[in-house]
Structures are given as structure tokens and as C-alpha cells.
Amino acid sequence: MHYDFFAPPQIHFGWDRFQEAGTLAASLGSRALIISGSRSLETNGVLDELKSLLSRAGISSEHIRTISHEPEVTDVDQVTNILQHHTLGAGDFLIGIGGGSGIDLAKACAAMITNRESETVLDYLEGVGQGLQLKAKPLPLMAIPTTAGTGSEATKNAVISSYAPAFKKSLRSPEMIPDIILCDPKLACSVPPEITARTGMDAITQLLESYISCRAQPIPQALSLQGLKLAIPALPQAVADGNSRTGRESMAHAALLSGIALANSGLGMAHGVAPALGTHCRIPHGLACAVMLPSTLKANRSVCETQYADIARHLDPGLSLSDADAADSLIQQIEALNASIDIPATLSELGVTREQIPALVADSRGNSMRGNPREISDDELTGILQDLL
Ligand code: NAD
């Protein structure tokens, strides 16, 4: 056995623990610059509450930006410029509060503010620009997730989009794992059912893909099993009743575990294709993953039957089926889960056309696809996407 395992340095998890935001943040500095990932956090009072919790702990704060879309190169460059004009001092740190979009923007800005070899994040993204590496430690960062999906609070990358030219790439460094994670599942109670469904399926896709990845490792696999056991029954609950404490707690915990798992083990075909569906077809990340997940499981079934059977038996210890039947039952369970929370079964329902397939195939060859347990050729991927129309 041979592996490296990265974990976030501090995780503070629990219902209503948002109230500890100020006391926890005090170890990071004396002035918080806040990046938020949702207008809802402004209208429902969460941002004001955050400022007042910080103030009570003797921390001054400034709200820098709210982003309500998946972050683009221009967002990172603009917000980094704004931050630079704040004459950053020794006690300054960032807080990213929101879904994956807000947290990724905060993670990227925390890194870019201390790495100024280029003024644009483009030059640091994998596979585009000048290929610069992050050298300096990012500004300290506290991540407060408000969706239960990406696990971005626990990963070492930030995903940045561009639409012209179309790409979705990561800014990545082990130093980008947030210093403090404050995960209060109650913050997700205001997430509408449709977004709960698709972000939750992102977490489930991450748990399954990291488990079967060709870079899979024992510790993340144990986390994935725990996450799947929580998430599969909890997601329909959280979609049906946004205030369900069990539903929200289980999903927030599963999403956090999925982030730790993916940061160590990588992902697979669903996450390989999702960025291309995001940039070419404007499909939100979680929804793209959800629709691609059943096909991904089927495409990998020939090399993953034992792993699927192991997962199926972990989910239902009473299952007395052969490996082949248990593996089939897992795939059927995921299809039924998608249907129960109104995730479309086809890409055509999301507006994807046959003409877009060549570009989707060409742009699916990122880091995630390299984790897929078997090689998927362009011809095979073309066939898989055509079958989904
Ligand atoms: P998101 O952050 O874009 O949020 C989705 C929607 O939910 C937005 O409209 C937002 O305004 C709303 N929202 C967020 N919190 C809310 C709340 N508490 N109440 C009401 N509405 C709320 O969606 P996401 O799926 O969390 O993040 C997607 C982004 O994360 C994508 O860019 C994806 O590529 C990226 N991602 C990053 C990682 C990583 O490791 N860094 C992993 C997976 C995905």
C-alpha cells in the first residue's frame, strides 16, 4: 500500500455552529474580507449576522463581492484587484461563504493576491495561459459552505470558467485547502429544492467516482462509503423538506466527505464531461454530473463490478445477491434516485444537441477524466453522449 493523504487542518461541523464564526475566525486575523456566493445570503440576513458575529469577536469586516454564477476568469481578476486596493495588512484574511461558486472565488482570490507573477488567473490555470505555478502561500481563508454539494470547502482547487474561449479549468495547490472549515448544515435550509437536488447529486457523484477512480485510496474510500450511506436516503428528504434537520445534516456531511475524497483520489468520466457541458451548454455543474452519473457507472461496470457490489452491500448489509446482481442493483438505485428528485434522464432535455457532441468530447479530457477507471476513447464517449440525447 502506498499513498499520500491530504486533509483540511480544521473542520468545525454542526447544526447552528455558524454562531461560532467570530470566535473561530479570530485565529486567522483581525480583518475579514468577505466573498459571498448567493444573493439569498444578503436577503435572508446571513451576511449581516456574519458581520455582527465577527464584530463581537473583535474582527472588523468588509463585504467585497457577491457572485451568483460559477466564477469566471474575469471575476477572479476583478475581485483580486479590488482586494489589492484594500492595502492588505498583516491581520487580513478572507471568508468565502456560499456554494462551490462563492468558495471557489474566495479560494482563487486568496491565492492570486499573494502570487502576482501575472495579473490574470488565466496564466495559473491547468492547461491554459502561461502554465505558472502558485509559489506563495495564499491569504488565510475560512470557508463556510451553504450548499451541500461540491465539497469545495475541503479541496485544494478552485474551478474557474471561461465561455469565449470555452473552458473550465482548475487553479490548484495543496496550499489552497481552506485553513478553517465551518460547516453549519442549517445554512442550506434556504436552498430551493431544484438546487438541493442537483448539488446533492454532485456530492453523490464525487463519492462514487472517487471510490472507483484509478487513483482510489483506502482512507477516501472509507469516507465515500460513509458519505453514500448518509446521502442516498437523505437527498430525497432534503429535497422534499428543506428544513429537514436529518436531511440537511446528512447531506452537508456527505458533501464535506466527498470533497476530502475527491481531493485525494480524483474523479472520473461524469466530472470529465461536466465542465464541457457547463461551458458549451451552460448546464449547472451538479446537474451535469447528475445526468452523466448513470452512464458513467454503466461505462465502468466491466472493471468495477466488485467495487459496485461492495458499495451496494454497504448500503444494504442484508443484500444477498451475486456480485453481478449487486452491481446492477447499485446502478438501478442511482437511476431511481435521479428520477425521484426530478433529474432529467437525457441531455436533450437540457438542450444539448447532436452538433455539440464533437466539442463536448474534445473538451472532456481534463484532470477528472484521467481518474476514470478505464480509458474511454473519443468514439466511445461520442456514442455515450449520443445515447443520452
Ligand atoms: P453554486 O455555488 O453556483 O450555487 C448554486 C445556486 O445556489 C446559486 O444560485 C446560489 O446563489 C444558490 N445558493 C447558494 N447557497 C444558497 C443558500 N444558502 N440559500 C439559497 N440559495 C443558495 O453551486 P454549487 O454547485 O455549490 O457550486 C458549483 C461550482 O463549484 C461550479 O463552478 C463547480 O465547477 C465548482 N466545483 C468546485 C469544486 C472544488 O473542489 N473546488 C468541486 C466541485 C465543483
Side-chain angles (χ1 to χ4, degrees):
M1 210 182 277
H2 186 100
Y3 63 82
D4 303 299
F5 181 73
F6 291 86
Q10 280 190 50
I11 298 172
H12 305 275
F13 184 96
W15 194 260
D16 230 3
R17 291 198 67 186
F18 181 55
Q19 298 308 319
E20 295 170 44
T23 44
L24 290 171
S27 66
L28 294 183
S30 52
R31 183 173 68 151
L33 302 156
I34 303 170
I35 294 172
S36 144
S38 177
R39 296 257 168 257
S40 311
L41 301 172
E42 292 175 29
T43 51
N44 67 12
V46 168
L47 265 191
D48 285 342
E49 198 180 353
L50 175 61
K51 288 174 147 194
S52 112
L53 290 164
L54 291 166
S55 163
R56 268 184 263 153
I59 300 168
S60 64
S61 63
E62 236 169 290
H63 176 213
I64 301 292
R65 170 71 62 97
T66 291
I67 182 168
S68 34
H69 54 267
E70 298 186 359
E72 298 172 38
V73 169
T74 46
D75 295 309
V76 179
D77 292 348
Q78 276 172 18
V79 176
T80 305
N81 269 331
I82 296 171
L83 289 168
Q84 276 203 304
H85 286 106
H86 275 69
T87 0
L88 296 173
D92 286 346
F93 64 99
L94 287 184
I95 295 183
I97 178 167
S101 296
I103 292 179
D104 276 2
L105 180 60
K107 284 165 79 176
C109 293
M112 286 302 293
I113 199 82
T114 56
N115 287 273
R116 303 306 293 153
E117 266 182 90
S118 166
E119 288 191 354
T120 173
V121 69
L122 188 73
D123 285 328
Y124 292 86
L125 295 179
E126 289 171 344
V128 289
Q130 288 187 49
L132 296 177
Q133 299 295 313
L134 294 171
K135 290 178 188 150
K137 201 172 164 41
L139 213 61
L141 172 68
M142 179 187 223
I144 308 179
T146 65
T147 60
T150 68
S152 167
E153 64 273 17
T155 69
K156 53 191 170 193
N157 66 306
V159 185
I160 310 301
S161 297
S162 161
Y163 296 96
F167 63 78
K168 203 168 179 185
K169 296 284 179 188
S170 275
L171 179 67
R172 193 185 307 271
S173 151
E175 304 271 22
M176 284 177 63
I177 298 181
D179 301 276
I180 296 181
I181 300 171
L182 173 55
C183 185
D184 178 350
K186 194 177 170 186
L187 292 174
C189 287
S190 52
V191 178
E194 197 189 338
I195 298 176
T196 301
R198 67 187 197 221
T199 49
M201 282 310 297
D202 184 15
I204 288 173
T205 307
Q206 291 177 169
L207 293 163
L208 284 166
E209 289 201 304
S210 63
Y211 190 92
I212 60 169
S213 159
C214 60
R215 304 200 294 262
Q217 296 179 20
I219 298 176
Q221 281 187 321
L223 301 182
S224 288
L225 289 178
Q226 188 191 143
L228 288 165
K229 191 147 190 165
L230 287 170
I232 289 179
L235 184 54
Q237 231 177 330
V239 171
D241 172 10
N243 290 314
S244 155
R245 179 165 171 169
T246 324
R248 292 300 187 187
E249 273 180 349
S250 298
M251 285 313 301
H253 191 54
L256 174 64
L257 297 181
S258 81
I260 302 173
L262 86 86
N264 285 283
S265 295
L267 292 162
M269 188 183 98
H271 274 83
V273 179
L277 288 168
T279 51
H280 290 286
C281 313
R282 300 266 180 173
I283 299 175
H285 176 75
L287 187 55
C289 292
V291 177
M292 288 306 303
L293 181 57
S295 306
T296 301
L297 293 174
K298 287 175 193 167
N300 290 316
R301 193 191 176 295
S302 61
V303 294
C304 295
E305 186 175 281
T306 315
Q307 286 106 310
Y308 292 178
D310 288 345
I311 296 169
R313 292 193 187 103
H314 180 79
L315 295 174
D316 178 2
L319 202 67
S320 58
L321 295 174
S322 65
D323 274 9
D325 289 345
D328 285 339
S329 80
L330 177 72
I331 299 173
Q332 285 156 11
Q333 204 174 341
I334 295 299
E335 286 178 321
L337 175 61
N338 264 351
S340 75
I341 53 172
D342 292 332
I343 299 285
T346 65
L347 289 172
S348 47
E349 288 165 81
L350 302 176
V352 179
T353 62
R354 193 164 289 271
E355 293 67 41
Q356 289 173 311
I357 290 182
L360 293 174
V361 171
D363 286 344
S364 293
R365 299 284 165 200
N367 191 50
S368 294
M369 190 62 108
R370 286 193 285 277
N372 199 66
R374 58 177 279 270
E375 184 79 28
I376 307 275
S377 69
D378 284 356
D379 282 351
E380 185 179 359
L381 187 55
T382 301
I384 290 169
L385 294 175
Q386 280 171 348
D387 288 347
L388 276 170
L389 291 181

